[in-house]
Amino acid sequence: MCLAIVYKETEESRVKLCENIAKVEFDGKGTILTDILKRKTEVEGYPKMMDLSGGVILF
């Protein structure tokens, strides 16, 4: 199973938004991230990079 940590990246820093993400969905407004406990996190926009073998998703 590939689980990911999600970060919001700016020029100065990288802030963790959530972790143990097992599912990524896209709707018309942004991205819905679901962790292994079925908790959902909604993020505006779409990822700029997804490295699932490395376990990282960047917004």
Side-chain angles (χ1 to χ4, degrees), residues 19-33:
E19 58 188 351
N20 297 320
I21 297 302
K23 184 177 179 182
V24 179
E25 298 174 274
F26 306 102
D27 66 9
K29 298 174 236 165
T31 307
I32 302 166
L33 307 163

Side-chain angles (χ1 to χ4, degrees), residues 1 4 14 17 20 26-27 31 34 40 43-44 46 51 56-57:
M1 179 186 311
R14 186 183 276 191
L17 297 179
N20 297 320
F26 306 102
D27 66 9
T31 307
T34 306
K40 294 181 186 267
V43 180
E44 276 189 34
Y46 303 97
D51 175 9
V56 174
I57 300 172

Side-chain angles (χ1 to χ4, degrees), residues 2-50:
C2 293
L3 299 176
I5 300 173
V6 179
Y7 297 97
K8 174 74 174 176
E9 189 172 61
T10 65
E11 291 180 22
E12 299 85 33
S13 66
R14 186 183 276 191
V15 177
K16 186 190 309 183
L17 297 179
C18 50
E19 58 188 351
N20 297 320
I21 297 302
K23 184 177 179 182
V24 179
E25 298 174 274
F26 306 102
D27 66 9
K29 298 174 236 165
T31 307
I32 302 166
L33 307 163
T34 306
D35 70 12
I36 57 175
L37 299 176
K38 307 290 188 216
R39 294 179 295 203
K40 294 181 186 267
T41 301
E42 293 186 28
V43 180
E44 276 189 34
Y46 303 97
K48 63 180 180 178
M49 190 277 292
M50 296 174 67

